[in-house]
Amino acid sequence: MDPRSLLNEQQLDAVTVTGGATLVLAGPGSGKTRVLTHRIAYLIDQMGIPPYRILAVTFTNKAANEMKKRLESMVPERAQSVWLGTFHSICVKILRREARYLPVDSNFTIYDVDDQAALIKNILKDLNLNDKLYRPGAIQETISRAKNEMIMPKQYNIRTSRDAKIQEIYERYQANLRACNAMDFDDLLLSALSLLYENDDVREKYAARFEHVLVDEFQDTNQIQYELVRLLSSVHKNLFVVGDEDQSIYRWRGADYRNVLRFEEDYGNFNKVLLEQNYRSTQKVLDLARSIIDQNHHRTPKALFTERGSGSLIRFYNAEDDRDEADYVVRTIQSEIRKGTSPASFAIMYRMNSQSRMLEEAFMKAGIPYRLVGAQRFYGRREVKDVIAFLRLVYNPKDEVSIRRVINVPPRKIGDKSVEKLAEVARLTESSLGDVLQELGVLGSQSEIWGALDRSAAPIHQFARLMVGWLEIKDKVSLPDLFDRILLDVEYQEYLQDGSEEEVIDRWGNVQELRRQAFEFEELGLTALLENLALVSDQDTIAEKLDSPTLLTLHAAKGLEFDRVFIIGLDDGVLPHNRSFEDEEEMAEERRLFYVGITRARDQLYLVRAERRSMFGSYEIQFPSRFFKDVPDELVQMDSPQRSSTQRGYDRWERGSYRNGSGRSRRNQEDLFFESWDEKVTTTHTWKSANTNRENRVGNTGHAAILPQQSDAPQREKKTEPTYRAGMKVKHPSFGEGMILNVRLEGDGEETLDIFFSELKQQKKLAASFVKLEILH
DNA sequence: AGTAGGCCACTTTTT
DNA sequence: GTGGCCTACT
C-alpha cells in the first residue's frame, strides 16, 4: 500500500506526521475518515506499530464500523486487534476488565434512559414526591448534566429546596444503581475516568499500552472524554485528533468544542493540519455552506474548495403546509427516479424526528419504499424491552429494574403490593430482589418469606422457579436456546396474541429480530449481545443496501453524504428550533446543524419550508427560517409555482414584519392562551374552532401563494409600545371585569398581563394579543 | 389484580 | 392526534 498515490498533500501530511500531538482540522467532505484509516494502516504497516497498541475512538457506532470495514481492507487480519470503538464501548471494555476496582461486578448492566426513569420513579415513590412536580425525565437530565460536569451527589450545589430534594434523589439513584449492579450511560465514562484517576497502576497500564491514540469528531468531546484521552495517551503522548468546530452539534450533550482550544494549550508544540479540499460537493453547495457558516463567530475560517465544478442551483420550495412539503419532496423524487436517478441517492433531512411522519405517509401513498433512520425506535418497543429485560435479569439477577419490568409479564397476578413486599424483604436482608426471588424459587414454601406473601405466593413462586431455572442453564446452553427457553417458559408468544392482527405480526416480528441477533451473538455470548443492545442504537442497525431514499434527522446525517439532499422544515422555530432562540450559543449550533445538512449534498440541494405546519394536532402558521437571510439570491432557483421572488419566504424576514412573531413567542402566547382559559370555558373547543376558521380561509383561497401575508393575521398583530398599564380596569369577553395588576413587555413585543377578575375571584395571566380586552378606564 | 376510560404531555437533537 | 399513565371501577 502506498498512501502517496491516494492522498492529497495535506492528507498525506496528516497521515504520516510523527512526534507528539496532532490536531487535524477537517472541513466537511475533506477525507477525514480516509485520513484516520490511512494513518492507522500506515502506523501498522509502515511504522511497525503492533495493532493492539493503537486506540481509535469515534462517537457513533456507525463511524466505528465504517472505519473497521475500511481498515480491514487495508491491513487484513491485523485490523481486528486495533482497539476501535465509541467512547462508551471502549470504556465498557476497560471497566469490565478492571471491575475489581469498581463498586460493581464485571457483569454490570447498562441502563438506558427508560431504565433510568424507572429507577427514578421508584425513588420518587419512596420519598413520597409528586412526580408532576418532580418529573422523572427532567430529574434524569439534571443528574446526567451533573455527571457530565463530574459533580457527584455530595458536591451537588444546593440553592433551593428543590435542589436539596434532587440531591437526595441523585444520591439514592447512585446507590440504587450500585445495588442493581448497573451503570447508566454517563457512569460508563465517569467511572472509567475515576478508575484512571484513582489507580495509578491501571492508568499506567493502559497509557503504556496505547502508543497511539486517535480521536474522531474531536469537536464533540465533552470534558470527561477529553480527560479520558488525555490520560490514555499520557505515556506516549501520541494523540491524534480530527475535528471540525463548524460541525459541532452536540453541545446539549455536554460537547465542548473549546476542547480544541484546550488541546492547543495542553499540548504546546503540536502539529496542526488543515484539510480544505472538499471531494464531495459542487461549488454552489459549498458557496451556500460558506455563506451560512461565515455568520458564526469564534472559529477558524477555512477556505474550502472543490474541483468538482460549479454544479446546479440550489432549489427552493415554499410549501403551503407540511403536507404540500412532503408531496413536493416525493413528487420531485418520483420524477427523478423516472428519469433514471437511483432512489438511494436521495436523502431527506429534518430537525425533529416527528417531521418524518408526513413524509412517510407521502412515500407510502406514492408506493415508494423508503429507509427511515432512528425514530421508530425498535429498541423502544414494548415487546423488545420485555425480552431484553428477561435476558438481563438472567445475566445480572441484581438488575431490579428489569425484574420489576417483567415479573408480571405476561400478567400472572403479581401486583405492585406484592413486588413492594419483596423489595422490602430484600432491603431488610440487605440482599436484592433477585436474591429474594432465587431463595423463593429454590425453597418454595420452606422459605421464611413464603408466609408473608398470602395470595400472590403461588404466582411469585412460579416466576421465581422459572428464573432459577434460567440461571441454572444460562452457562450450559447456547444463547439462542436460552432465548427460546425463556419465551416458551413465559408463553410470550401467546401473550402477544391480543391486539389487531398487524400488531401481532409486527410485535412478534420484532421478537424474531431479537432472536436473530441472539443467533448472531451465539459465539460472543450474552455479555456481548446485551452490550450491543445497550450501546448500539437504531441508527446503526438500518439495512445498508436498500435502494431507497433515506429519511433522517440532521444530527443523524453527520458523517454521511448523498447525491441529492432535501432539507425540509426551514421555518423559524423548527430550524432554528425555538428552544435555541434565547441563547446565542445555541443559535450558533442550529446554524452549524444547517451547515452540516447542506454539506451532506454532493450534487443537488433542495431547501423546503411550509407556511403552515400541524403541530400537536392543530395547525400553526410558520415563518421562514432566519437562515434564509444569509442565502445568496444568485445561488437559488425557485421551485414553487405561481410565486415571484418577492414572495420568497425570507423577504418577509428582511422586512421585519414578523420579527416579533418568532416561533418561541407564538408558543408562549399559545401557552398563555391555554393557561388563561378556565376549564369551564372548554379550552379545546374554542381553540379548535379558531383553527377550523383558519383552515377554511386557506381552503377558500385555494393557494397559499395568493393568501394575504400570513404574518398579518389579526391575532398575531404585535405591539411595540405597551397598550395597557397596571391599575387599568378592563373587560374580558368571558371572564368579565378585572383589574390589571402587572404588565410585562416581553422582548418580542408581546405584552403579558396579570389580571385579577373580580367575578372569578381569580388572577389570570393573559397574552394581550390573544384576547379582546375592553378598556374601561 | 386487572382493565377501561379519561387526562396529559408530547416534539429537539444521541451514546 | 396519540400513546402512556393515572384513577376509579369491577
Side-chain angles (χ1 to χ4, degrees):
Chain A
M1 183 210 68
D2 179 14
R4 263 147 279 254
S5 57
L6 299 159
L7 302 165
N8 69 31
E9 207 171 308
Q10 292 170 313
Q11 290 173 333
L12 190 62
D13 277 350
V15 166
T16 57
V17 68
T18 51
T22 303
L23 170 66
V24 179
L25 293 178
S30 63
K32 172 176 68 90
T33 309
R34 196 193 297 171
V35 164
L36 274 167
T37 47
H38 274 87
R39 177 162 176 88
I40 297 172
Y42 175 84
L43 290 173
I44 295 171
D45 213 52
Q46 312 281 309
M47 305 296 289
I49 309 286
Y52 73 90
R53 303 197 64 169
I54 298 172
L55 170 67
V57 205
T58 63
F59 261 83
T60 60
N61 295 289
K62 202 162 51 193
N65 292 336
E66 176 66 22
M67 275 175 68
K68 251 177 226 165
K69 209 173 71 196
R70 291 208 208 170
L71 212 50
E72 192 60 45
S73 70
M74 292 157 84
V75 280
E77 275 133 64
R78 288 169 292 176
Q80 286 153 24
S81 316
V82 176
W83 275 45
L84 195 165
T86 62
F87 269 102
H88 294 266
S89 69
I90 297 285
C91 286
V92 171
K93 198 166 174 177
I94 295 176
L95 291 170
R96 291 221 198 273
R97 288 175 161 227
E98 312 297 336
R100 63 187 176 285
Y101 295 99
L102 303 173
V104 291
D105 302 328
S106 71
N107 66 331
F108 62 83
T109 300
I110 301 164
Y111 277 177
D112 66 15
V113 273
D114 292 334
D115 303 319
Q116 296 178 50
L119 208 52
I120 290 170
K121 265 184 219 164
N122 281 339
I123 295 168
L124 293 175
K125 222 192 299 174
D126 278 354
L127 292 175
N128 264 324
L129 290 172
N130 181 346
D131 61 2
K132 291 254 151 50
L133 257 52
Y134 292 86
R135 296 242 302 290
I139 294 170
Q140 189 271 116
E141 275 171 35
T142 308
I143 291 177
S144 176
R145 213 174 312 121
K147 286 188 182 181
N148 271 307
E149 288 165 27
M150 300 186 238
I151 297 166
M152 297 318 288
K154 289 210 171 51
Q155 300 145 355
Y156 192 80
N157 189 15
I158 297 172
R159 299 164 70 185
T160 63
S161 59
R162 187 190 165 81
D163 291 340
K165 283 282 179 231
I166 288 184
Q167 185 206 29
E168 193 178 354
I169 298 167
Y170 185 9
E171 198 152 22
R172 282 193 185 222
Y173 172 79
Q174 285 306 99
N176 285 8
L177 275 180
R178 297 290 104 86
C180 291
N181 191 28
M183 292 209 188
D184 65 19
F185 279 128
D186 305 309
D187 278 347
L188 297 178
L189 302 179
L190 195 53
S191 304
L193 183 61
S194 40
L195 175 78
L196 298 179
Y197 266 145
E198 286 159 21
N199 302 284
D200 297 344
D201 48 335
V202 177
R203 184 177 62 244
E204 284 297 307
K205 183 167 86 187
Y206 287 96
R209 174 195 178 122
F210 295 127
E211 246 181 281
H212 287 268
V213 176
L214 300 92
V215 184
D216 191 15
E217 307 280 13
F218 186 68
Q219 77 283 352
D220 282 335
T221 50
N222 63 22
Q223 260 190 81
I224 299 178
Q225 289 159 337
Y226 182 91
E227 279 300 288
L228 276 169
V229 293
R230 192 179 66 83
L231 295 184
L232 288 172
S233 62
S234 57
V235 169
H236 299 284
K237 300 212 159 46
N238 289 317
L239 181 55
F240 183 91
V241 305
V242 184
D244 179 6
E245 59 206 330
D246 292 336
Q247 293 182 66
S248 166
I249 54 175
Y250 288 107
R251 200 180 88 97
W252 52 276
R253 220 175 67 191
D256 188 352
Y257 67 86
R258 282 169 305 181
N259 277 343
V260 175
L261 305 178
R262 281 179 70 194
F263 182 94
E264 301 188 351
E265 273 169 34
D266 287 358
Y267 301 87
N269 48 352
F270 64 101
N271 312 295
K272 188 171 184 172
V273 183
L274 252 73
L275 302 183
E276 293 177 311
Q277 177 163 6
N278 176 293
Y279 291 92
R280 180 183 296 156
S281 309
T282 65
Q283 193 59 49
K284 288 237 170 35
V285 171
L286 286 188
D287 286 347
L288 173 64
R290 184 174 184 157
S291 54
I292 293 298
I293 202 66
D294 273 355
Q295 303 296 320
N296 272 359
H297 315 294
H298 318 299
R299 51 185 285 274
T300 314
K302 265 144 274 163
L304 282 183
F305 68 98
T306 182
E307 289 172 358
R308 283 214 45 209
S310 163
S312 43
L313 289 168
I314 315 296
R315 288 164 62 178
F316 171 70
Y317 185 77
N318 191 57
E320 240 175 82
D321 55 24
D322 46 358
R323 170 145 293 140
D324 184 30
E325 178 182 61
D327 284 346
Y328 165 75
V329 170
V330 172
R331 204 185 325 138
T332 309
I333 289 177
Q334 196 160 37
S335 91
E336 285 294 330
I337 290 175
R338 286 211 189 98
K339 282 189 236 159
T341 312
S342 157
S345 54
F346 295 96
I348 304 106
M349 301 175 188
Y350 36 82
R351 178 67 237 263
M352 297 176 282
N353 278 309
S354 59
Q355 291 173 263
S356 72
R357 202 159 136 187
M358 210 54 92
L359 288 166
E360 289 185 72
E361 280 172 23
F363 272 115
M364 267 190 283
K365 214 164 73 191
I368 302 174
Y370 57 89
R371 175 169 93 111
L372 181 72
V373 178
Q376 228 61 359
R377 295 188 66 230
F378 171 73
Y379 297 110
R381 303 294 295 272
R382 181 185 51 146
E383 64 280 8
V384 174
K385 298 221 80 174
D386 282 348
V387 174
I388 292 175
F390 279 116
L391 290 172
R392 291 209 309 200
L393 73 88
V394 175
Y395 177 67
N396 167 23
K398 291 201 177 104
D399 179 353
E400 192 174 317
V401 170
S402 295
I403 292 178
R404 280 173 182 267
R405 179 178 183 93
V406 294
I407 192 167
N408 200 32
V409 171
R412 50 169 72 82
K413 300 193 185 303
I414 304 174
D416 282 348
K417 282 263 159 54
S418 311
V419 175
E420 286 313 318
K421 220 176 276 177
L422 290 172
E424 184 61 24
V425 174
R427 207 169 307 150
L428 292 173
T429 56
E430 291 189 345
S431 58
S432 69
L433 194 53
D435 292 331
V436 174
L437 281 173
Q438 281 179 74
E439 191 193 309
L440 266 171
V442 174
L443 296 177
S445 54
Q446 305 295 302
S447 164
E448 288 172 39
I449 311 152
W450 182 271
L453 294 176
D454 59 57
R455 265 208 310 282
S456 55
I460 292 175
H461 184 220
Q462 187 218 356
F463 180 81
R465 272 198 355 244
L466 291 179
M467 189 174 151
V468 169
W470 301 330
L471 287 168
E472 271 168 11
I473 62 162
K474 77 166 171 187
D475 294 321
K476 295 180 188 136
V477 303
S478 75
L479 191 46
D481 285 351
L482 177 67
F483 188 96
D484 290 342
R485 167 78 183 270
I486 293 173
L487 292 196
L488 279 176
D489 278 354
V490 301
E491 301 180 330
Y492 199 76
Q493 188 170 12
E494 290 79 349
Y495 165 60
L496 286 186
Q497 287 310 313
D498 58 356
S500 73
E501 200 165 330
E502 313 146 44
E503 206 180 85
V504 171
I505 292 169
D506 198 37
R507 292 190 187 283
W508 187 243
N510 287 333
V511 175
Q512 289 306 303
E513 167 58 23
L514 276 180
R515 186 165 183 273
R516 196 192 56 70
Q517 293 194 36
F519 273 98
E520 204 179 301
F521 281 81
E522 185 163 358
E523 297 298 315
L524 293 167
L526 188 53
T527 306
L529 173 66
L530 290 177
E531 209 162 287
N532 197 56
L533 291 172
L535 295 177
V536 173
S537 68
D538 308 76
Q539 309 273 330
D540 311 295
T541 54
I542 307 296
E544 284 284 315
K545 298 274 143 51
L546 226 60
D547 187 23
S548 308
T550 305
L551 277 55
L552 74 180
T553 63
L554 289 161
H555 281 89
K558 189 156 81 148
L560 303 178
E561 56 179 33
F562 299 88
D563 290 347
R564 292 157 178 274
V565 170
F566 291 83
I567 300 178
I568 68 163
L570 277 159
D571 299 305
D572 229 46
V574 177
L575 183 66
H577 196 274
N578 43 29
R579 299 220 183 166
S580 68
F581 284 0
E582 258 104 285
D583 185 312
E584 204 181 325
E585 268 300 315
E586 276 180 48
M587 184 54 77
E589 181 144 316
E590 295 291 307
R591 190 177 281 280
R592 292 193 291 268
L593 201 49
F594 187 30
Y595 175 75
V596 165
I598 294 168
T599 54
R600 300 306 96 196
R602 289 199 195 96
D603 303 321
Q604 183 66 58
L605 183 66
Y606 303 84
L607 305 179
V608 194
R609 69 165 291 256
E611 297 193 338
R612 295 181 308 146
R613 196 171 282 286
S614 65
M615 283 174 128
F616 304 107
S618 64
Y619 270 107
E620 266 196 56
I621 308 282
Q622 298 294 127
F623 300 99
S625 171
R626 62 190 66 191
F627 296 150
F628 276 123
K629 191 168 65 188
D630 309 312
V631 175
D633 280 342
E634 62 275 16
L635 290 179
V636 180
Q637 172 197 331
M638 297 295 292
D639 253 12
S640 326
Q642 310 172 31
R643 259 163 242 252
S644 69
S645 65
T646 51
Q647 280 169 309
R648 217 162 87 192
Y650 50 87
D651 292 329
R652 282 195 259 153
W653 176 264
E654 301 278 43
R655 275 175 35 203
S657 61
Y658 57 85
R659 180 152 308 149
N660 298 331
S662 60
R664 169 57 134 190
S665 60
R666 261 179 292 132
R667 172 67 38 79
N668 278 344
Q669 284 167 21
E670 220 172 286
D671 289 346
L672 290 167
F673 177 80
F674 282 122
E675 279 169 32
S676 73
W677 236 243
D678 199 282
E679 273 168 8
K680 284 172 254 167
V681 198
T682 56
T683 312
T684 40
H685 180 258
T686 314
W687 180 238
K688 273 199 183 125
S689 57
N691 273 316
T692 319
N693 290 340
R694 216 176 305 157
E695 247 188 293
N696 286 343
R697 204 181 62 222
V698 173
N700 292 338
T701 49
H703 281 285
I706 50 171
L707 265 183
Q709 299 276 316
Q710 300 281 12
S711 50
D712 298 328
Q715 66 268 51
R716 309 284 176 202
E717 206 154 340
K718 299 297 168 320
K719 298 163 201 69
T720 44
E721 300 276 323
T723 325
Y724 301 96
R725 271 179 294 105
M728 272 181 176
K729 270 210 162 163
V730 291
K731 188 167 177 182
H732 184 280
S734 331
F735 298 152
E737 288 190 16
M739 159 90 81
I740 297 183
L741 301 174
N742 184 35
V743 180
R744 209 165 50 252
L745 190 64
E746 307 286 345
D748 54 29
E750 177 56 39
E751 270 180 85
T752 306
L753 312 173
D754 289 332
I755 306 175
F756 183 82
F757 291 100
S758 42
E759 284 167 51
L760 292 172
K761 297 193 178 19
Q762 244 182 337
Q763 189 180 330
K764 297 274 179 195
K765 201 181 280 266
L766 301 178
S769 65
F770 255 100
V771 289
K772 280 264 173 295
L773 287 177
E774 191 186 331
I775 299 174
L776 299 177
H777 58 262

